[in-house]
Amino acid sequence: MLERMEIPSNIEVHPPLVGSTIYCDYEQIEIVFVNLLTNAIQAIGSNNGSIDITISDDPDPKYVQIMVRDSGCGVPPNMSDKLFEPFFTIKQTGTGLGLVSCKSIVKEHGGYIDIDSTFGKGTTIKIRLPKESEFDSMYLGSQERALKN
């Protein structure tokens, strides 16, 4: 996905050093990460900055934790609680539906999404996704059907 995105030359993206396997609707999860990376790029703007993506084990072994951290402008403290509300945006342009759809997709996968932002310093999005889900059985079922054909 990173290879298909246009990352401005003033921004360094540090992809995860390790990976993890989860069973998911990858097209939906890709929408989440495109939204998060687009937000991070817009938050950094024309300043030099970075986006760090990490994948790690969650304290609950049933989950994997993915963090997207940017060095952008951050969110004013009085607005951070509203970021997941439909049609709320702090951008000049935008619909206010990006983070709402991210939360919905993550929730549909049995996961959680949280934001920690410091105004003037950047934002960290933490996503917890289950390692196993209904997509696990769907994937295995499609493999079994393919083997029978």
Side-chain angles (χ1 to χ4, degrees):
M1 177 201 65
L2 282 172
E3 293 170 1
R4 294 191 309 270
M5 288 192 71
E6 189 171 323
I7 308 293
S9 60
N10 61 305
I11 298 174
E12 288 185 28
V13 176
H14 304 114
L17 298 175
V18 297
S20 185
T21 300
I22 60 169
Y23 294 96
C24 62
D25 180 335
Y26 71 92
E27 291 173 342
Q28 292 291 306
I29 294 298
E30 185 172 313
I31 289 170
V32 171
F33 288 102
V34 167
N35 269 311
L36 296 181
L37 290 170
T38 300
N39 286 350
I41 290 167
Q42 291 172 350
I44 294 169
S46 60
N47 299 321
N48 289 330
S50 64
I51 301 170
D52 299 305
I53 306 166
T54 58
I55 298 174
S56 61
D57 288 329
D58 190 79
D60 182 338
K62 295 178 183 174
Y63 288 85
V64 65
Q65 183 171 278
I66 305 162
M67 295 178 80
V68 179
R69 179 176 293 125
D70 70 61
S71 62
C73 60
V75 178
N78 60 333
M79 296 184 182
S80 59
D81 290 341
K82 298 178 182 180
L83 293 175
F84 288 114
E85 291 180 12
F87 307 111
F88 178 82
T89 184
I90 59 173
K91 300 177 191 177
Q92 295 286 336
T93 60
T95 62
L97 294 174
L99 287 175
V100 173
S101 65
C102 290
K103 184 174 183 175
S104 175
I105 291 168
V106 169
K107 189 175 179 180
E108 286 172 13
H109 280 77
Y112 306 90
I113 185 170
D114 190 36
I115 296 177
D116 182 27
S117 189
T118 303
F119 189 61
K121 294 194 177 185
T123 299
T124 300
I125 307 287
K126 182 169 85 172
I127 297 174
R128 296 175 63 221
L129 289 170
K131 293 178 182 177
E132 297 178 11
S133 69
E134 67 183 56
F135 295 100
D136 184 11
S137 59
M138 289 168 49
Y139 173 75
L140 293 174
S142 66
Q143 277 190 324
E144 289 169 3
R145 284 191 299 277
L147 289 174
K148 287 179 183 177
N149 293 334

